[in-house]
Amino acid sequence: MKQRKSRLHHDTLALVLKQHFPVHATRLTVLCAVVLAMIRARSVVLYSLVTHLELPGSAKVRYKRLKRFVQFALPDTCLAALVLGCLPRGKQWLILDRTHWKLGKTHINILLLSTVWQGFSLPLVWTVLSTGGNSTQTQRITLLERVQSVLPAGDTLGMLGDREFIGRDWFVFLRK
């Protein structure tokens, strides 16, 4: 019974994801397994997901498969299309944020555009900035242009962001 229920969840998720992720069937199978494993494990740590991952092979084989999978670049706006497609139609707030943290000695500086639903921030698109500090106006414009094609017309209520997001070109772009 548990196996059938799990298969039903996988098949239902595959139908939804297939609409937004134009990837090979094998990658879609792994994507579904990873999403369901993250829900079960309540974690995104690959090593933790291995025991929850319903894919064939030993734990070592599944871990290698996960490592290969996360290196695959999904088409740019797939996640944004999925998130926006699952949310109810209506006015959406967009949130622009930049975060900087260290992974060992490596600095990671990310510019992120997300939307809000029931108090949760759902990521749409992001870019890893090559330098520390604030983003440029061009980087912000480019990020927003990437997601414009999947934003439902008239559904954007406004944008929230920190005071670091300033500049004449940026505000001219937002008015358009």
Side-chain angles (χ1 to χ4, degrees):
M1 178 72 171
K2 186 177 178 183
Q3 182 100 18
R4 279 185 37 197
K5 191 174 181 181
S6 179
R7 185 77 219 160
L8 178 64
H9 288 140
H10 178 277
D11 293 346
T12 304
L13 182 59
L15 284 173
V16 172
L17 293 179
K18 191 177 193 177
Q19 298 171 32
H20 303 287
F21 290 83
V23 296
H24 188 272
T26 304
R27 287 209 192 275
L28 187 63
T29 297
V30 176
L31 178 61
C32 291
V34 168
V35 170
L36 293 171
M38 286 189 296
I39 293 168
R40 283 185 210 105
R42 297 180 185 257
S43 175
V44 295
V45 177
L46 294 185
Y47 187 77
S48 299
L49 296 180
V50 171
T51 57
H52 299 277
L53 198 62
E54 292 186 4
L55 291 173
S58 66
K60 187 175 181 179
V61 168
R62 290 192 310 264
Y63 184 66
K64 283 183 180 181
R65 192 169 185 182
L66 274 178
K67 284 175 42 178
R68 279 194 315 271
F69 178 77
V70 297
Q71 292 174 9
F72 172 69
L74 291 169
D76 192 43
T77 56
C78 285
L79 182 62
L82 173 67
V83 168
L84 294 169
C86 290
L87 293 177
R89 290 296 309 259
K91 300 295 183 186
Q92 298 283 329
W93 282 99
L94 297 177
I95 302 169
L96 186 63
D97 197 14
R98 185 189 57 81
T99 184
H100 177 248
W101 28 277
K102 281 179 75 171
L103 183 61
K105 293 183 179 185
T106 305
H107 289 269
I108 301 173
N109 195 14
I110 299 173
L111 182 64
L112 172 72
L113 184 68
S114 57
T115 189
V116 178
W117 178 71
Q118 294 188 356
F120 290 96
S121 174
L122 304 171
L124 300 174
V125 290
W126 59 89
T127 189
V128 177
L129 304 175
S130 58
T131 60
N134 295 347
S135 60
T136 66
Q137 293 179 74
T138 303
Q139 289 167 326
R140 294 190 295 269
I141 290 169
T142 301
L143 187 70
L144 200 53
E145 285 174 339
R146 285 172 41 203
V147 79
Q148 276 182 317
S149 65
V150 295
L151 281 173
D155 275 9
T156 304
L157 181 61
M159 181 178 284
L160 304 170
D162 294 333
R163 62 180 176 220
E164 73 184 72
F165 303 120
I166 58 171
R168 185 179 192 285
D169 294 340
W170 171 239
F171 289 122
V172 168
F173 173 79
L174 288 176
R175 280 192 207 114
K176 290 181 191 174

